[in-house]
Amino acid sequence: MHVLDFEKPIAELEGKIEELRHLAGGDVNIADEVGRLQAKVDKLLRSTYAKLTPWQKTQVARHPERPHALDYIRALIEDFTPLAGDRCFGEDRAIVGGLGRFRGSTVMVIGNEKGSDTESRLKHNFGMAKPEGYRKARRLMEMAGRFGVPVLTLVDTAGAYPGVDAEARGQAEAIARSIEACLDIRVPLISVVIGEGGSGGAIALAAGNAVLMLEHAIYSVISPEGCASILWRSGEAAKDAAEALRLTAQDLHKLGVIDQVVPEPLGGAHRNPDLTFKTLSLAIDSALRDLAGVEGGVLRARRREKFLQMGRTGPV
Amino acid sequence: MNWLTNYVRPKLQALVRPKEVPENLWRKCPACGHMIFHRDLEKALNVCQHCGHHLRLSVGKRLEMLFDDGKFQRIELPKTADDPLKFKDQKRYTDRLKEARAKTGEQDAVVVAHGKMGGIGIVVAAFNFDFQGGSMGVAVGEGIVTAAELAVLQDAPLIVIPASGGARMQEGILSLMQMARTTVAVERVKEKGLPYIVLLTDPTTGGVSASFAMLGDIAIAEPAAVIGFAGARVIETTIREKLPEGFQRAEYLLDKGMVDMVVPRAELRATLVRLLSLLRNRGPAGDLLTLPLDTPDAFPEDSARL
């Protein structure tokens, strides 16, 4: 497993356990020793992850082995049927989307996919979408609206792709229209920030009735590195910027920007993806139940009112 | 000549004349380098008479230029929390705000005003680039929301004039949320059947371009204004190559189909007045056009098929 720098002491202990297991045969004394070490690992994990700094959370949110959108779709959605293209220019694999069943009911799922190895990362452009991606998202949201199907968005992107072709095809307009679609549809829209919620590229999918965030996910107007290079004039200050931006799920919940923090397994989602899927499934289910039976126009009005108030009531 | 005219007279004149500060009288055009006399520049609405380059125009001048007889009424904006995140980089955000307020005499980066344009009542929200680069935080969001609400209340068209680098980083996620917030605000204007016109001025980038600024019924850009999502420097470092000539300029956007027109400053008011008149004084045809529903002969072939 990829080890983050602050996890080194944990990794060392885990390495020792592996070594012991390797050396052991069926020796009973070693099982004791392994148990003792494992308890130590758990304790260390618990204490480390209980007080992660915003910068450490940023690293966890970007952990290469953290489950990505397609992992959640595989685990939570039956009969997933991907739908492609913006009907205008092309198919952007940085945003995946399609119809499927969540706990028996049809949903439209739309998510940023970062990819999990070199090949898939290239295929999905590292989760950085171009205008065609946001136009596809908009198309799928509108379709869901027509069929009365709830929309589930899974947000995990460093941001929209900064490139000449993306600008030429109207990146700004595509994002604006995607936000507009989020705020316009007359079906429940549940957004989950599963990893990195990067700026305009994230809000394009995240103006939901309920916005959930995994415990160690981040959501910010700019990356800590970008903020540091502009305000501190040094990329080195990313730690300070992460601190100042208040980008953790816990801070955003206090600010009233997100509705719920979904707990992750000990040591982060990547240490126990199955448990993460189960917890998130329950959270999504309960968010959907809260909105079940609410008339479409009311759903839309409530969503709009919620975002219209952002910053107005004065945060804590 | 002699020493009297060359030496004594200038010395005497210098004693008598009030001191002048020449730097304030002449401005160098950033595009062609020509020196322009300040009165000429003012008369030409900050457009260089030599090369036609559009220098930035202050909000006050902008509003004067647009409203009938330069008359308008400013709207006081509701107060918002100044520093919601208690943000501090190398400087405190509250100090940066203080400086910007002292420099501009404004509370924040947007000014909302109403008045008449071509005799039609309108609401305008104009950005002040001198205030923290026109960046959008909660106060700017409040400005757009207020302008939109006023437009709906007065049954008036809304004109927004961005000049902004994007979101205000020091307000973190709350500045990002203003993208959704302002989108709702302008959608409400559009849903009332009221024209929403955006006049994109230099620069319109980042979170401002990726929300209300790109949602206008009609998008007008000033010549050579930089309009785009990602900053040119960010793109250059990402793709590691030189950007094409004129990239993210108004004319480039026109060429790519992202704006309706690029209009020189001198023609802006006339263009807006014409558009407003076309949309608001539609003439009888707009109301009287009905489909000949009860005359089946109108489409004989269709009725034959039925």
Side-chain angles (χ1 to χ4, degrees), chain A residues 167 180 300 304 308 312, chain B residues 181 187 191 229-230 248:
Chain A
E167 294 290 320
E180 185 187 48
R300 176 177 184 266
R304 290 175 139 213
L308 204 52
R312 179 176 268 183
Chain B
R181 187 176 181 212
E187 286 308 305
E191 280 162 13
F229 179 64
Q248 291 185 327

Side-chain angles (χ1 to χ4, degrees), chain A residues 60-136:
Chain A
V60 176
R62 294 172 179 167
H63 195 289
E65 280 141 78
R66 193 172 170 87
H68 293 138
L70 283 173
D71 299 313
Y72 288 96
I73 291 174
R74 259 177 235 121
L76 303 185
I77 308 294
E78 286 163 38
D79 293 338
F80 180 63
T81 309
L83 300 170
D86 67 345
R87 301 296 185 271
C88 179
F89 176 80
E91 156 68 351
D92 186 347
R93 293 179 181 84
I95 291 183
V96 295
L99 288 162
R101 274 180 200 286
F102 174 75
R103 297 186 170 220
S105 306
T106 304
V107 288
M108 181 69 84
V109 192
I110 304 167
N112 309 101
E113 174 57 43
K114 284 184 168 179
S116 45
D117 53 31
T118 309
E119 198 189 330
S120 63
R121 278 182 199 124
L122 285 171
K123 178 181 163 190
H124 297 290
N125 198 27
F126 301 86
M128 293 186 288
K130 296 179 181 177
E132 43 277 21
Y134 297 109
R135 293 190 176 123
K136 171 169 79 177

Side-chain angles (χ1 to χ4, degrees), chain B residues 269-292:
Chain B
R269 187 179 130 83
T271 307
L272 284 166
V273 166
R274 190 172 65 245
L275 281 170
L276 287 171
S277 164
L278 285 167
L279 289 168
R280 295 296 271 173
N281 307 320
R282 278 175 299 193
D287 295 330
L288 295 182
L289 189 73
T290 47
L291 286 171

